[in-house]
Amino acid sequence: MVYSMMRIVYKASQAGNEQVIKDMRRICGEPEDSAWLPSEPAQLCESSKQTRDRARQLAKDIGSYHIDLNMDTMVRAFQTLFTTLFGFQLHYKGQQGGSNQQGLALQNIQARSRMVLSYLLASTLTLVRGRPGGGSLLVLGSANVDECLRKLDLALFLRYAKVEYKLDVLEKFLTAVPTAELEPITEDYTQSDDSMFQRLRLGEWSHMAPRAIFERVRFLWTMFGINRHKQEILTPSLHAETYSPDSNRYDLLPFLRPRLTWQYNKIEKTIDELEERKRSS
């Protein structure tokens, strides 16, 4: 995403846009009397092992300053603090003594602390690297708005960028197993496939039994009910598509969802009747 924006800046600088050139030189730390212009967009991007390798390779390909950081030290510090306070050690779900509540707490340590670390680095990297003029860097990160976008659309963008920007490394991102990397990756680890619901929404139901369809629909609406409120804190969206995660324009469903117990009971009753009719025939 950053690289695609830098391509726009590069084109503007090549076209002689004085304001863009002035801002670009200032942000890149060039002296006031500099006549520097980038020779390619990659020059503007300085600002699990497999994932880190992909990130390192992508940073190299787009010319970005990259820090390869292991979060384990920070995560262990929080875990040690918690154990010191309460004499209780948290475990991920699936580990001995673990539970879903403990697992979510551990995932939140990394999910929240990495953003704090991002802001720390953004406000100090210009100092550490001796960049003239100092200042802070812009923090770009994923949040609720990204979780609202369709993964298939993101994959299409990566395929486009791979060809248009000549970034072959993006193929590794497209074929990687999706994971938030907030818990240990085990042999039986899976992450929910959101594209499954998109395929079902388009009508791929005929091969499934009614009860299987119901289980998936119930799971979808349960997760939707748990997470719907997150969309209410989104900032106004850029409407570049025919859909949008902006809930106030494109999703007028209530953000506090009921449990839908009555609806589920009615569906289950209908399924029971269908299954009984099938057994009797």
Side-chain angles (χ1 to χ4, degrees):
M1 187 68 72
V2 172
Y3 187 63
S4 64
M5 291 189 291
M6 291 307 100
R7 284 169 57 91
I8 298 173
V9 175
Y10 171 76
K11 288 181 180 179
S13 68
Q14 294 297 302
N17 188 313
E18 292 297 329
Q19 185 61 53
V20 170
I21 292 173
K22 180 180 178 181
D23 292 339
M24 176 186 65
R25 288 172 179 164
R26 177 179 56 82
I27 293 171
C28 290
E30 291 293 310
E32 291 186 5
D33 58 350
S34 172
W36 172 80
L37 287 175
S39 59
E40 58 179 347
Q43 290 184 314
L44 295 171
C45 288
E46 283 200 0
S47 334
S48 82
K49 183 179 183 302
Q50 290 79 10
T51 299
R52 292 168 67 177
D53 287 344
R54 289 195 297 270
R56 189 184 303 111
Q57 183 62 51
L58 179 60
K60 179 182 177 182
D61 288 352
I62 67 174
S64 171
Y65 178 75
H66 180 67
I67 298 176
D68 188 359
L69 173 70
N70 194 322
M71 291 287 295
D72 291 353
T73 302
M74 180 178 289
V75 172
R76 280 197 297 267
F78 278 98
Q79 290 176 289
T80 301
L81 174 62
F82 181 86
T83 303
T84 302
L85 287 173
F86 301 108
F88 183 89
Q89 186 171 355
L90 297 171
H91 297 279
Y92 288 97
K93 183 180 180 181
Q95 295 180 338
Q96 185 174 0
S99 65
N100 187 58
Q101 182 180 5
Q102 294 180 50
L104 288 175
L106 288 171
Q107 291 178 50
N108 272 320
I109 292 176
Q110 180 166 321
R112 311 310 166 198
S113 61
R114 64 189 179 191
M115 181 55 70
V116 175
L117 180 61
S118 296
Y119 279 99
L120 172 64
L121 295 177
S123 61
T124 56
L125 272 181
T126 54
L127 173 65
V128 172
R129 301 185 66 197
R131 304 298 291 270
S136 298
L137 302 177
L138 174 66
V139 176
L140 297 177
S142 62
N144 290 335
V145 64
D146 304 282
E147 298 169 7
C148 298
L149 296 175
R150 294 196 291 246
K151 290 182 180 179
L152 291 180
D153 289 332
L154 296 179
L156 287 173
F157 172 75
L158 288 179
R159 290 191 178 94
Y160 165 82
K162 174 192 170 186
V163 176
E164 180 68 18
Y165 306 156
K166 297 179 175 59
L167 296 172
D168 292 337
V169 68
L170 292 180
E171 182 64 30
K172 296 181 179 179
F173 289 81
L174 287 165
T175 57
V177 177
T179 169
E181 299 204 340
L182 298 178
E183 58 182 299
I185 305 298
T186 58
E187 291 184 0
D188 59 347
Y189 176 86
T190 58
Q191 179 156 306
S192 61
D193 179 13
D194 292 348
S195 63
M196 172 190 69
F197 294 110
Q198 296 173 41
R199 294 193 302 271
L200 293 179
R201 187 170 59 83
L202 294 174
E204 298 182 14
W205 301 83
S206 59
H207 66 289
M208 299 173 61
R211 189 168 297 278
I213 295 174
F214 168 61
E215 292 295 337
R216 291 193 174 186
V217 170
R218 180 168 60 182
F219 175 78
L220 169 65
W221 285 104
T222 299
M223 293 299 103
F224 180 85
I226 291 173
N227 294 287
R228 173 67 177 85
H229 68 283
K230 296 178 181 178
Q231 295 171 270
E232 294 302 316
I233 62 172
L234 298 178
T235 54
S237 308
L238 169 64
H239 297 277
E241 245 296 351
T242 53
Y243 78 98
S244 168
D246 189 338
S247 60
N248 294 310
R249 272 181 235 190
Y250 287 84
D251 187 352
L252 301 181
L253 293 171
F255 72 93
L256 294 178
R257 301 287 300 174
R259 293 185 179 275
L260 302 178
T261 303
W262 184 87
Q263 290 87 341
Y264 291 155
N265 288 338
K266 291 288 288 185
I267 295 173
E268 285 203 80
K269 182 179 179 181
T270 301
I271 292 174
D272 289 338
E273 293 174 354
L274 289 173
E275 291 178 341
E276 179 62 31
R277 193 181 309 163
K278 184 176 180 179
R279 285 192 295 267
S280 302
S281 61

